[in-house]
Amino acid sequence: MKIALMDSGIGLLAATAAVRRLRPDADLVLSLDPDGMPWGPRTPEDLTERAVAVAEAAAAHRPDALIVGCNTATVHALTALRARLEPGLPVIGTVPAIKPAAAGGGPLAIWATPATTGSPYQRNLIEDFAGGVTVTEVPCWGLAEAVERADETAIDAAVAAAAELTPDDVTTVVLGCTHYELVAERIRAAVQRPGRPPLALHGSAGAVAAQALRRLGEPPAPGAAASGTLTVLLSGREGALPAAALTYAEGRLLRHGAAARTAQ
């Protein structure tokens, strides 16, 4: 089994690690776009063009499924990607975990990029799945970019700034950008208030990985032999994981696979 994941940068690491944990025997293809990142500031049309190119580079390696490991790309490009690649290649998007977070009650906060915060897309998800729950949308200025660079000082500053915008009574935080899952525990520490119940964090990686396996009709097999290979594509060129990826536990989990033979 071969599963591809795509994003402009290392935000796809959380979903990649989730797939690796569920199926350590699966070959993985990571398709990044260092030549075109970041995607967030691009127009929807431009972003879609970049995303399609990155997806087609991954598709050339004949995966069984493709995960769009980016919320922004899912919003703007999922329809185009599915039109281009399905039904031959199942395409799984990444949606903020607002539904399961709201099911636990509230109040909740949604940490997202400034472009996503307040967007019709996010507002529709809130309306559809969080009716009756107090929701605060928190724009996280510079956090995704800091995580991408593994800039510790900038990460701490961006997390602290977003925490200041998060109400004290929040019990649940939705991580509305895949990059944020890489620093989830820092976010928890910044938002957790003394004397309050433990903060619940909701990311998308686990659900996306499980959905990919469901689409393929494959069961989880976390005890399978760790025989899966890793291929990294950088704007279509074969390469290595960015150095910043290895500063995160999710990236280090893939390191041994990166040293294995290239999947064909």
Side-chain angles (χ1 to χ4, degrees), residues 162-253:
E164 284 293 322
L165 301 176
T166 304
D168 288 345
D169 62 349
V170 158
T171 60
T172 304
V173 173
V174 175
L175 303 177
C177 171
T178 54
H179 281 81
Y180 303 170
E181 297 189 50
L182 302 179
V183 292
E185 291 310 310
R186 295 199 208 187
I187 293 171
R188 186 192 304 279
V191 177
Q192 180 69 57
R193 307 302 189 218
R196 301 285 299 175
L199 184 74
L201 295 181
H202 286 267
S204 303
V208 167
Q211 175 64 7
L213 293 184
R214 281 194 294 270
R215 289 285 301 272
L216 294 176
E218 294 280 354
S227 57
T229 61
L230 180 69
T231 298
V232 178
L233 305 175
L234 305 174
S235 299
R237 307 175 300 273
E238 289 200 26
L241 280 173
L246 300 179
T247 66
Y248 302 104
E250 293 85 349
R252 293 192 295 274
L253 178 67

Side-chain angles (χ1 to χ4, degrees), residues 95-99 102-103 108 110 116 118-137 174:
V95 177
I98 294 172
K99 184 177 181 179
L108 66 87
I110 304 170
T116 300
S119 67
Y121 165 74
Q122 184 161 290
R123 291 283 168 85
N124 286 338
L125 289 175
I126 294 169
E127 184 177 333
D128 290 343
F129 300 121
V133 176
T134 301
V135 177
T136 301
E137 296 180 87
V174 175

